[in-house]
């Protein structure tokens, strides 16, 4: 990621997104380089680092399904980081499409995992269907992205609440460390608040802090905290 910042390239000929026409995210874009917004782009290293740590962790359990989801969680974080990186690098419609697809697949992984914990079934088709529908929506109805994100978050929250009620029923049921969930909620709420207030502001006073960096880092940390909760939940409990 860092090396790409110094590569010379022109995005002329690519359809620009709205931020390719004005100063969005409080970082003026430079011309003639592959990465137009280096600070915002490089802040996605947070997602890549979280994904790498997940892939190198002890995982969510020894069974095939938990091992598969460990890889999914790690890959989803890395993909999200690179997609957002390319979005800030190019400031094009293609980059915007990749950015939202990265977010969609991250939320779909959470949804599918919670549904798996709730039902014990394989929900791979739901994931693939969601990716296809999300790709079509971003291609033909990009203004609906916030509605889709809200729907995915709401669906995951309902599935996760139901899964936790099911898993917590019974004395021998696994119990995750709730501090990780609380931390994830606080980190995401702080990041989302920053994005809502300052996310795409076209007017930033000279010397303004790149607040969008905080959104990337806080949301990446929130995802990592959620994974730590799922990992603690999957950890075998000691008999007393």
């Amino acid at each position: 990621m860092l090396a790409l910042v110094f590569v010379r390239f022109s995005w002329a000929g690519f359809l620009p997104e709205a931020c390719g026409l004005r100063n969005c995210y409080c970082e003026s874009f430079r011309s003639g380089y592959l990465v137009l917004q280096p600070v915002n782009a490089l802040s996605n290293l947070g997602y890549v680092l979280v994904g790498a740590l997940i892939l190198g962790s002890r995982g969510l359990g020894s069974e095939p399904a938990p091992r598969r989801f460990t890889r999914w969680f790690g890959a989803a974080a890395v993909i999200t980081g690179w997609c957002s990186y390319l979005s800030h690098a190019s400031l094009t419609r293609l980059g915007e499409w990749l950015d939202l697809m990265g977010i969609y697949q991250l939320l779909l992984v959470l949804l599918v995992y919670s549904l798996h914990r709730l039902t014990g079934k394989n929900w791979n088709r739901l994931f693939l269907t969601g990716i296809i529908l999300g790709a079509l929506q971003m291609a033909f109805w990009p203004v609906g992205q916030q509605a889709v994100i809200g729907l995915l978050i709401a669906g995951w929250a309902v599935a996760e609440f139901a899964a936790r009620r099911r898993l917590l029923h019974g004395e021998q049921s696994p119990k995750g460390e709730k501090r990780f969930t609380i931390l994830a909620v606080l980190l995401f709420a702080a990041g989302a608040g920053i994005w809502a207030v300052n996310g795409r502001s076209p007017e930033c006073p000279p010397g303004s802090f790149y607040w969008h960096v905080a959104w990337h880092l806080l949301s990446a940390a929130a995802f990592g905290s959620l994974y730590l909760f799922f990992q603690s939940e999957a950890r075998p409990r000691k008999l007393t």
Side-chain angles (χ1 to χ4, degrees), residues 32-57:
Y33 285 91
L34 179 67
V35 182
L36 301 182
Q37 289 187 322
V39 176
N40 282 316
L42 287 174
S43 63
N44 288 289
L45 279 167
Y47 270 107
V48 175
L49 177 59
V50 167
L53 291 174
I54 291 174
L55 291 172
S57 71

Side-chain angles (χ1 to χ4, degrees), residues 4-149:
L4 293 178
V5 170
F6 304 100
V7 174
R8 302 287 299 191
F9 183 80
S10 175
W11 290 100
F14 288 82
L15 184 64
E17 68 150 313
C19 283
L21 303 173
R22 66 177 190 265
N23 175 22
C24 281
Y25 309 114
C26 291
E27 182 179 5
S28 300
F29 54 87
R30 53 184 190 163
S31 60
Y33 285 91
L34 179 67
V35 182
L36 301 182
Q37 289 187 322
V39 176
N40 282 316
L42 287 174
S43 63
N44 288 289
L45 279 167
Y47 270 107
V48 175
L49 177 59
V50 167
L53 291 174
I54 291 174
L55 291 172
S57 71
R58 63 184 172 217
L60 296 170
S62 59
E63 297 299 321
R67 287 203 306 271
R68 171 168 54 85
F69 277 111
T70 298
R71 294 192 294 269
W72 272 27
F73 270 85
V78 172
I79 291 171
T80 299
W82 273 104
C83 287
S84 182
Y85 178 93
L86 293 172
S87 176
H88 288 282
S90 67
L91 296 178
T92 62
R93 283 290 303 276
L94 175 61
E96 183 182 27
W97 184 88
L98 288 172
D99 188 19
L100 269 295
M101 290 306 299
I103 295 173
Y104 290 171
Q105 58 90 36
L106 191 75
L107 293 174
L108 283 167
V109 167
L110 289 172
L111 175 60
V112 167
Y113 184 61
S114 293
L115 288 173
H116 170 75
R117 289 159 62 241
L118 175 63
T119 65
K121 296 181 180 179
N122 186 323
W123 292 84
N124 292 0
R125 290 184 179 179
L126 175 64
F127 178 83
L128 294 175
T129 301
I131 290 293
I132 293 171
L133 292 177
L136 292 173
Q137 174 264 309
M138 280 304 299
F140 299 103
W141 188 48
V143 294
Q145 57 186 254
Q146 293 185 10
V148 174
I149 290 174

